[in-house]
Amino acid sequence: MGNRFQVKDRFADGAQYIDGQLRAGTWGQSHTVIDPATGDEVLTYELAGPADVDAAVAAAKRAFPAWSAATPGERSDALHRLAAVLAEQAEDFAYAESLQCGKPIKLSTEFDVPGTIDNTAFFAGAARHLQGQAAAEYSGDHTSYVRREAIGVVGSIAPWNYPLQMAAWKILPAIAAGNTIVLKPAELTPLTSLMFAQAAKEAGLPDGVVNIVTGAGRDAGEHLVGHPDVVMTSFTGSTAVGKRVAEIATATVKRLHLELGGKAPFLVFDDADPEAAAQGAVAASLINSGQDCTAATRAYVQRPLHDAFVARVAELMAGVRLGDPFAATTDLGPLVSHAHRDRVAGFVDRARGYATVVTGGEIPGGDLAEGAYYRPTLIAGAAQDSEVVQSEIFGPVLVVLPFDTDDEGLALANDTPYGLAASAWTRDLYRANRATRELKAGCVWVNDHIPIISEMPHGGYKASGFGKDMSSYSFEEYTQVKHVMYDNTAVAAKDWHRTIFGDR
């Protein structure tokens, strides 16, 4: 990395971004961002409380009339400028993302930051292409058309695993459609969300369009979701917290978008390319240290390939390089915190009583002892109803189970409460087509697992939530559809009036 900015200097005025300015939180409690690779302090800041949320929502409400009245072209131009600012500051964004999350710098520079820039460029174009039914005389006597209108102030909550990308996924479709937003990032990882809001101002977006409040969920988050001036909430996080968000949002009849947990199956049929499946499983289970709701967590392998698959995956995992996130040779960084690392280790330790830990399952010592590291872990021999198969671990842990028939494999893959993502590995077109039809997930890959693109939607089935991030489909969450109908007859006494009074 080149000239790394000094985080404490950058956020000396506070970690709340309200009405175009950084300020300190007023809740009376502080929080420290910790570098999970070393345990060192990165930034201590004052948390937001209800008063800060109120100020941010008020700023967003003031900004809404002018921003929603801007033409699609004007909003598009602003987002194109934002994409350019993000590109100019890409190195700083990558540094801050790796510093607060512990993810390898190659992941930040090759995935998180360019993905966010691309997403911004996509929504710059999408702002000019709101879609609806063609205007026509559907009744014969009237002309109907559809308007898509901005809904108002959006209050969103983003998680800690992909702070920059999740901030973008929440902010971009909302403001592209003409809304204003108050985003609450996870208090563990607020840096790049704040930087994104600052970049928006540099790009010329008006003050109040993008606001960031950094506080705890119970204090700032719940107040944001329940705020009477917030008309829509988008939440990404665990299913358990998502249920609480839904309770608060429905009490005030808010529109709601939830992207929740996942337990993605990785279904390997017996005609799959064994090396491609093994390579894919390691990459898809270990990305971001497994802290990815679409990560491969359950590999179901048809019995003829099962043993060789286990052996090859174990071999590949054993070669994954843990280390300093800022070293170019590091493959896997720490988990986001020591507390989360210990939670992941607890799943694996309990699994030793009913399954086999083939490789990994260890907290490394030596130079990595101070960080929240955990070795890539492969588990075999677990039962379908066991904890490691059914619960979201959110760490570098892959469980492998065998299956015999295609029917059995598909049934096992669907046998969890979740349905966010899945993949099928086969060289048979008919098997692939069947899998894409029958796997109950919002995204199904064939012979790959993890890639996402701005043009396509991201969202889940079942306990993984509802609604879509990214793509033009996300505008369904952030726009109000209005039907406008004009009478074309100029007749005072219309034929349908007889159903209320009079005769034909």
Side-chain angles (χ1 to χ4, degrees):
M1 301 299 291
N3 297 318
R4 299 176 178 176
F5 65 85
Q6 296 299 310
V7 172
K8 292 179 181 179
D9 292 341
R10 177 73 173 256
F11 301 111
D13 293 330
Q16 318 302 325
Y17 190 83
I18 299 173
D19 207 13
Q21 298 292 329
L22 284 173
R23 63 173 74 174
T26 63
W27 188 229
Q29 297 178 15
S30 63
H31 181 82
T32 299
V33 177
I34 298 295
D35 177 352
T38 63
D40 294 340
E41 174 192 346
V42 174
L43 175 71
T44 297
Y45 65 92
E46 297 299 314
L47 288 164
D52 304 294
V53 172
D54 290 343
V57 172
K61 187 176 180 180
R62 288 192 300 271
F64 176 73
W67 182 247
S68 62
T71 67
E74 289 168 338
R75 293 197 294 269
S76 175
D77 288 346
L79 291 179
H80 277 301
R81 294 195 300 271
L82 175 56
V85 172
L86 294 173
E88 291 170 1
Q89 299 178 9
E91 185 176 281
D92 283 351
F93 274 98
Y95 169 69
E97 193 77 340
S98 288
L99 184 65
Q100 67 182 350
C101 299
K103 61 182 65 184
I105 193 65
K106 66 179 180 179
L107 181 63
S108 295
T109 55
E110 297 178 26
F111 182 73
D112 297 75
V113 174
T116 300
I117 295 169
D118 182 76
N119 211 230
T120 306
F122 169 81
F123 277 106
R128 306 182 79 143
H129 295 283
L130 295 178
Q131 296 180 348
Q133 189 86 353
E137 289 66 51
Y138 294 100
S139 77
D141 292 336
H142 308 81
T143 296
S144 289
Y145 67 87
V146 166
R147 290 177 56 88
R148 281 195 181 272
E149 297 179 349
I151 57 177
V153 177
V154 175
S156 294
I157 299 176
W160 48 256
N161 58 332
Y162 290 103
L164 175 59
Q165 290 204 78
M166 295 298 100
W169 287 14
K170 302 302 182 195
I171 293 169
L172 292 169
I175 66 174
N179 305 291
T180 55
I181 189 168
V182 178
L183 174 75
K184 191 198 88 66
E187 59 269 33
L188 290 174
T189 55
L191 303 183
T192 47
S193 298
L194 293 163
M195 292 167 63
F196 190 92
Q198 291 175 307
K201 180 169 184 172
E202 290 183 46
L205 273 74
D207 292 347
V209 172
V210 178
N211 306 273
I212 308 293
V213 290
T214 308
R218 290 185 180 275
D219 306 319
E222 292 195 3
H223 190 69
L224 177 62
V225 174
H227 199 289
D229 289 333
V230 169
V231 299
M232 184 265 186
T233 289
S234 177
F235 170 81
T236 296
S238 72
T239 298
V241 177
K243 290 177 181 178
R244 176 61 180 157
V245 169
E247 289 174 1
I248 299 170
T250 53
T252 50
V253 198
K254 284 180 172 49
R255 187 178 292 202
L256 184 62
H257 163 224
L258 297 175
E259 199 263 85
L260 306 177
K263 191 70 177 176
F266 187 98
L267 188 59
V268 182
F269 293 98
D270 58 12
D271 68 320
D273 180 330
E275 183 63 15
Q279 296 266 354
V282 173
S285 62
L286 299 185
I287 185 170
N288 201 32
S289 297
Q291 300 167 128
D292 187 312
C293 48
T294 62
T297 61
R298 300 177 291 136
Y300 295 98
V301 184
Q302 208 150 21
R303 204 169 294 275
L305 297 185
H306 176 269
D307 291 352
F309 178 89
V310 169
R312 181 59 175 146
V313 169
E315 179 184 22
L316 290 168
M317 280 189 170
V320 170
R321 300 165 296 181
L322 278 67
D324 176 5
F326 292 101
T329 55
T330 294
D331 298 320
L332 199 72
L335 296 170
V336 74
S337 69
H338 290 77
H340 184 60
R341 189 271 314 276
D342 293 344
R343 175 184 176 275
V344 170
F347 277 101
V348 177
D349 290 343
R350 290 189 295 274
R352 297 181 199 277
Y354 56 80
T356 301
V357 177
V358 181
T359 190
E362 298 171 350
I363 296 172
D367 294 341
L368 304 180
E370 298 302 316
Y373 290 90
Y374 197 74
R375 294 202 183 280
T377 301
L378 180 66
I379 297 175
Q384 176 67 12
D385 63 355
S386 63
E387 181 186 47
V388 290
V389 175
Q390 293 293 326
S391 298
E392 188 174 29
I393 300 172
F394 225 57
V397 180
L398 177 65
V399 184
V400 182
L401 300 91
F403 70 93
D404 291 303
T405 67
D406 289 15
D407 288 349
E408 180 190 12
L410 289 163
L412 290 169
N414 286 327
D415 182 30
T416 70
Y418 300 106
L420 186 59
S423 64
W425 296 74
T426 177
R427 288 181 274 202
D428 184 302
L429 176 63
Y430 296 98
R431 268 179 162 167
N433 281 338
R434 181 186 178 190
T436 59
R437 290 194 306 271
E438 296 187 15
L439 287 168
K440 303 303 181 186
C443 177
V444 179
W445 294 279
V446 177
N447 295 327
D448 209 343
H449 192 119
I450 284 298
I452 53 175
I453 50 175
S454 297
E455 292 82 0
M456 288 293 157
H458 178 84
Y461 285 31
K462 302 188 290 185
S464 291
F466 47 81
K468 300 298 180 184
D469 286 310
M470 299 201 302
S471 82
S472 295
Y473 289 96
S474 64
F475 284 133
E476 301 298 330
E477 319 302 329
Y478 296 101
T479 57
Q480 185 69 261
V481 175
K482 178 187 287 184
H483 171 211
V484 178
M485 194 177 210
Y486 284 90
D487 169 61
N488 291 331
T489 66
V491 174
K494 294 178 171 54
D495 186 55
W496 71 267
H497 292 177
R498 67 186 174 81
T499 62
I500 311 302
F501 66 95
D503 301 316
R504 186 184 292 275

